[in-house]
Amino acid sequence: MRVAMIEDDIELAEILAEYLGSHNIDIVNFDDPYLALAKLRVESFDALILDLTLPQIDGLEILKDLRKFSDIPVIISSARSDIADKVLGLELGADDYLPKPYNPRELEARLKAITRRKGKTAQSDIKIDRQKGVVYFKNRVLDLTPAEFEILSYLYENSPRAVSREELIRNIDSLNENSTPKSVDVIIGRIREKLRERENPKHLLSVRGVGYRLIR
Amino acid sequence: MRVAMIEDDIELAEILAEYLGSHNIDIVNFDDPYLALAKLRVESFDALILDLTLPQIDGLEILKDLRKFSDIPVIISSARSDIADKVLGLELGADDYLPKPYNPRELEARLKAITRRKGKTAQSDIKIDRQKGVVYFKNRVLDLTPAEFEILSYLYENSPRAVSREELIRNIDSLNENSTPKSVDVIIGRIREKLRERENPKHLLSVRGVGYRLIR
DNA sequence: ACTTTATGTTTACTTTCTGTTTACCTCGAT
DNA sequence: ATCGAGGTAAACAGAAAGTAAACATAAAGT
């Protein structure tokens, strides 16, 4: 589990990082909240621990901005015991509120509780259960046609090797063996559509002059 | 929003019920935890507020039993401030921990936070109690014929695997084993009708060339 | 015993899906 | 700028799925 933290008290951050690190939870701390927001935009974490009492800006503002683009679980950690803060924080979309000082064990338990609820850890986005004929993408079942499913599975099993169109046509039952290589291109495009990565593919990459490669 | 509460302090229960009631949250309090469990088995609530310090039994035992048949969001409310209790509670599957005394406003905020979270994680709309022969869809009992019920249950138990028409005909008692696969199509259509997803199915999906799949 | 209702099945027809091809566009390396 | 490769919208045809209606039989009601 990989967790982002916004905490300006470096010492506290290090203590927590050490304790949680030894329990298999990697902490990435940001003392600059704007840098954190930028990172959260492009990288994926399992949760965010947010300190409210920041020097530059109210942590609640950060939360508000964050919620415009992410539904990552957020635990607010604050020395402010004002009930109004709690209520406001939870209304702004925080998932939990932990008053300082707290025991690292409790933070750990809450992190686990929250991510268990979401059932989501930032491991590989794509999981395939060939027996059940099911593809999960970001923990949701993908609804694929037979050709789409078989191509994705084939690339998955050969990941991260680049596979040629010809090899796909030869080995995929749902493809007519007399088909043009272009058929593959079209179906790849449709899979990308369902992965929502038609522009800027992250998993299903084309390898110029060779074919296609899947990154799990 | 309709919330169950297990709280033996009747006075406190009434205060909370009144406050939350005026904020559009209906509280159904049980002073008998076993009665509560029985009710939770058959009725649907949006959350449960659980007092740990009950006269007859440890609230954590209730939570453990509850988790065997329900994944309803649970907020533990307790005068016990022992950290071990918190950790244990969250590990047993509670979603939040609220130490007494607390402000009703905070309880309200947490209830909202939890159910909002629930909405995001698109948890299962369909619940099946095979023993009782009851299907709940979006917290309502569905009136199904035997064949409809059995097909839905079979798909449910094999979810999200795609099941062939032949497998269904073979395994569903209410279907004549000499029936055409088309029979299945028609019954599936009727189930969809009752799920109100005849157009644009979200749960009962057809998998072309294979059969049908249920997404819980 | 008789009638009505409910429910699974079949039929016949319509609609949708999906793999394929074509045509045109974009992008990147040289 | 050029050329080749990949991307994709659109059109198409055959296959699969959807479904309305009629039917047969079992179950329920009288």
Side-chain angles (χ1 to χ4, degrees):
Chain A
M1 177 151 56
R2 196 156 159 275
V3 175
M5 179 158 72
I6 302 181
E7 169 65 66
D8 61 298
D9 179 344
I10 307 288
E11 204 176 314
L12 172 60
E14 278 174 1
I15 291 172
L16 290 174
E18 191 180 321
Y19 174 83
L20 295 172
S22 70
H23 287 70
N24 223 20
I25 299 175
D26 295 329
I27 297 290
V28 182
N29 186 54
F30 301 90
D31 50 0
D32 177 350
Y34 293 106
L35 177 61
L37 276 181
K39 269 287 182 189
L40 283 162
R41 244 177 227 282
V42 294
E43 261 184 53
S44 119
F45 294 88
D46 296 304
L48 168 67
I49 301 161
L50 174 63
D51 180 24
L52 280 199
T53 52
L54 298 166
Q56 303 143 290
I57 185 178
D58 186 348
L60 290 178
E61 282 304 311
I62 295 290
L63 178 56
K64 214 158 147 191
D65 286 354
L66 175 76
R67 280 292 177 243
K68 288 175 190 159
F69 65 87
S70 168
D71 65 343
I72 184 175
V74 173
I75 297 181
I76 289 180
S77 132
S78 172
R80 278 155 49 181
S81 59
D82 187 356
I83 275 200
D85 264 4
K86 285 198 195 186
V87 172
L88 198 53
L90 293 170
E91 272 172 6
L92 278 176
D95 295 273
D96 208 341
Y97 193 104
L98 203 51
K100 284 184 186 176
Y102 50 83
N103 186 320
R105 274 189 70 198
E106 192 182 344
L107 179 56
E108 181 193 357
R110 292 199 179 230
L111 278 173
K112 284 188 175 156
I114 270 182
T115 50
R116 173 159 29 79
R117 265 210 78 73
K118 293 230 166 182
K120 180 181 177 181
T121 46
Q123 303 154 7
S124 75
D125 290 330
I126 300 177
K127 290 170 208 156
I128 297 190
D129 186 336
R130 261 223 146 184
Q131 277 208 313
K132 291 190 177 177
V134 180
V135 176
Y136 298 88
F137 180 62
K138 297 188 172 168
N139 294 321
R140 307 194 68 138
V141 175
L142 267 194
D143 191 16
L144 299 175
T145 72
E148 289 163 3
F149 175 77
E150 285 187 65
I151 288 182
L152 191 57
S153 300
Y154 193 91
L155 291 174
Y156 184 84
E157 280 156 15
N158 288 280
S159 170
R161 194 185 116 230
V163 179
S164 72
R165 295 166 176 72
E166 288 69 26
E167 183 178 345
L168 287 171
I169 289 173
R170 239 181 295 119
N171 289 291
I172 303 299
D173 288 344
S174 313
L175 296 182
N176 185 326
E177 58 184 285
N178 300 319
S179 300
T180 312
K182 264 287 150 190
S183 290
V184 176
D185 295 7
V186 174
I187 295 171
I188 291 282
R190 288 176 184 165
I191 299 174
R192 282 183 177 148
E193 179 73 39
K194 292 181 179 177
L195 296 176
R196 309 223 168 124
E197 58 176 46
R198 214 159 197 177
E199 0 217 297
N200 199 16
K202 291 219 175 346
H203 300 86
L204 195 39
L205 311 178
S206 48
V207 183
R208 176 168 263 250
V210 184
Y212 294 96
R213 149 183 304 158
L214 186 79
I215 308 292
R216 296 193 189 188
Chain B
M1 177 154 54
R2 195 156 160 277
V3 174
M5 180 158 72
I6 302 182
E7 171 64 65
D8 61 300
D9 181 344
I10 306 289
E11 205 175 315
L12 172 61
E14 278 175 2
I15 291 171
L16 290 173
E18 191 179 322
Y19 174 83
L20 295 171
S22 70
H23 287 69
N24 224 19
I25 299 175
D26 295 329
I27 298 290
V28 181
N29 186 54
F30 301 91
D31 49 1
D32 178 350
Y34 292 107
L35 177 61
L37 277 182
K39 269 288 183 188
L40 283 162
R41 243 177 227 283
V42 293
E43 262 182 54
S44 117
F45 294 87
D46 296 304
L48 168 68
I49 302 161
L50 174 63
D51 181 23
L52 279 198
T53 51
L54 297 166
Q56 302 144 291
I57 186 178
D58 186 348
L60 289 178
E61 282 303 312
I62 294 291
L63 178 57
K64 214 158 145 192
D65 286 353
L66 176 76
R67 279 291 176 245
K68 287 175 190 160
F69 65 88
S70 168
D71 63 344
I72 184 175
V74 172
I75 297 181
I76 289 180
S77 134
S78 171
R80 279 152 52 179
S81 58
D82 188 355
I83 274 201
D85 264 5
K86 286 196 197 188
V87 171
L88 196 53
L90 293 170
E91 270 171 7
L92 278 175
D95 296 90
D96 207 341
Y97 194 105
L98 203 50
K100 287 183 186 176
Y102 50 84
N103 187 319
R105 276 190 69 197
E106 192 181 345
L107 179 56
E108 181 193 356
R110 293 203 177 228
L111 279 173
K112 284 184 177 161
I114 270 184
T115 49
R116 173 158 28 83
R117 199 154 68 204
K118 173 182 159 190
K120 264 184 196 166
T121 45
Q123 74 157 35
S124 70
D125 292 328
I126 300 176
K127 292 170 202 157
I128 297 189
D129 186 336
R130 258 224 144 172
Q131 281 205 314
K132 294 193 173 176
V134 180
V135 176
Y136 297 89
F137 180 63
K138 294 185 175 168
N139 297 327
R140 289 190 174 172
V141 177
L142 272 192
D143 188 18
L144 299 176
T145 71
E148 288 164 3
F149 176 77
E150 284 187 66
I151 287 182
L152 191 56
S153 300
Y154 193 90
L155 292 174
Y156 184 85
E157 280 156 17
N158 288 281
S159 170
R161 195 185 114 229
V163 179
S164 72
R165 294 166 177 72
E166 288 69 26
E167 182 178 344
L168 288 171
I169 289 173
R170 238 182 295 118
N171 290 290
I172 302 299
D173 288 343
S174 313
L175 297 182
N176 184 325
E177 59 183 285
N178 299 320
S179 298
T180 312
K182 264 287 147 194
S183 291
V184 176
D185 294 9
V186 173
I187 296 172
I188 290 283
R190 289 175 185 164
I191 299 174
R192 281 184 178 146
E193 181 70 39
K194 292 180 179 177
L195 296 176
R196 311 226 169 128
E197 57 175 46
R198 207 152 202 179
E199 3 214 295
N200 200 15
K202 293 233 173 330
H203 299 85
L204 195 38
L205 310 179
S206 49
V207 182
R208 170 168 270 243
V210 183
Y212 294 95
R213 148 184 305 161
L214 187 80
I215 307 292
R216 299 191 187 189

